[in-house]
Amino acid sequence: AAAAPEEGINALDAVILTFNNVNSLRSTLGPKDRIAGVITKGGEAANIIPAFCVADFSIRSLSAKRRDILLEKVISCAKAGAQAVGCRLEYQISPGYQEIIPNRILAGLFKSNLEFLGRIVVDPDPNERMGSTDMGDVSHIVPAIHPYLAIAPENVAGHTLEFKQYCISAAGKSAMLDAAKAIAMTAVDLLTDPGLLQQAKDELSSTLNPI
């Protein structure tokens, strides 16, 4: 980097350009689109031009279709960064998750059971992003729900140290037990009334195969 920088090809420059290109996409993203990235390998020493660098990106959205559109844009950002510097780009795509299809029949049963246990139930925003989980893949095969039980005030963000304290609190334990009870009660409802189970299956079928 000191003696002959003009003879090097700086892979870190290409990675940084990739991040800058991705940042230029921000104004085109929807309210539930998420693109987050980190540099996992950025070089060995400041006075050595990095010949090999690695970045990792996570891409999320409300649907798998929308996520795949964003994926192609991020790949284009990386290609442009590599081309500008003269690097060779190699990338791998990890399998993603399908979006969750909430089943209204199951949700209604679960809601009734939670209310029976004394919980106040609030219906979620229809456009609420449900995180990244293989439960989405399951919900495309069988009727499924992915409910949440509150253990902390709304202004406390998940995956934080503050939220951790709520997880190990009495509120956290109470929510865990009520969730387990409500799920078990919902399973009993379906086992004792095959008609309800068929309605849940029919709803999934109509969602996946609309007329």
Side-chain angles (χ1 to χ4, degrees):
E6 70 279 2
E7 296 183 14
I9 297 177
N10 195 318
L12 182 59
D13 282 346
V15 171
I16 291 173
L17 284 174
T18 297
F19 275 82
N20 289 337
N21 292 339
V22 169
N23 285 335
S24 72
L25 297 177
R26 300 297 178 186
S27 62
T28 71
L29 300 182
K32 297 301 179 181
D33 295 336
R34 299 287 186 271
I35 302 176
V38 294
I39 299 174
T40 58
K41 182 177 177 63
E44 302 297 333
N47 66 333
I48 299 175
I49 294 176
F52 177 76
C53 292
V54 180
D56 185 29
F57 286 89
S58 171
I59 304 170
R60 309 183 189 196
S61 193
L62 283 174
S63 69
K65 182 178 180 180
R66 172 63 179 168
R67 176 207 62 210
D68 290 345
I69 291 174
L70 298 178
L71 172 62
E72 290 303 318
K73 290 186 177 183
V74 171
I75 292 173
S76 294
C77 289
K79 288 180 177 178
Q83 184 178 19
V85 175
C87 289
R88 185 179 77 253
L89 170 68
E90 296 179 359
Y91 63 89
Q92 296 178 338
I93 302 173
S94 300
Y97 300 123
Q98 296 277 6
E99 67 272 19
I100 295 175
I101 302 177
N103 189 275
R104 296 184 182 278
I105 299 298
L106 297 190
L109 294 173
F110 188 78
K111 176 181 179 179
S112 296
N113 289 324
L114 275 181
E115 290 175 338
F116 179 81
L117 294 172
R119 290 266 173 179
I120 298 175
V121 180
V122 178
D123 292 333
D125 182 337
N127 294 318
E128 182 69 24
R129 187 173 55 81
M130 301 295 288
S132 297
T133 169
D134 55 5
M135 192 65 204
D137 298 84
V138 173
S139 72
H140 283 248
I141 301 172
V142 295
I145 53 175
H146 194 279
Y148 289 82
L149 270 69
I151 65 172
E154 288 189 18
N155 63 340
V156 176
H159 306 295
T160 61
L161 291 176
E162 186 179 5
F163 189 78
K164 171 189 173 183
Q165 296 305 312
Y166 283 98
C167 290
I168 59 177
S169 70
K173 182 176 181 180
S174 174
M176 177 180 66
L177 293 175
D178 282 348
K181 291 176 184 177
I183 289 173
M185 294 162 71
T186 301
V188 171
D189 292 336
L190 295 170
L191 289 171
T192 56
D193 190 341
L196 285 173
L197 180 58
Q198 188 58 51
Q199 289 179 42
K201 291 181 178 179
D202 290 344
E203 180 187 329
L204 176 60
S205 178
S206 63
T207 301
L208 294 174
N209 305 290
I211 298 176

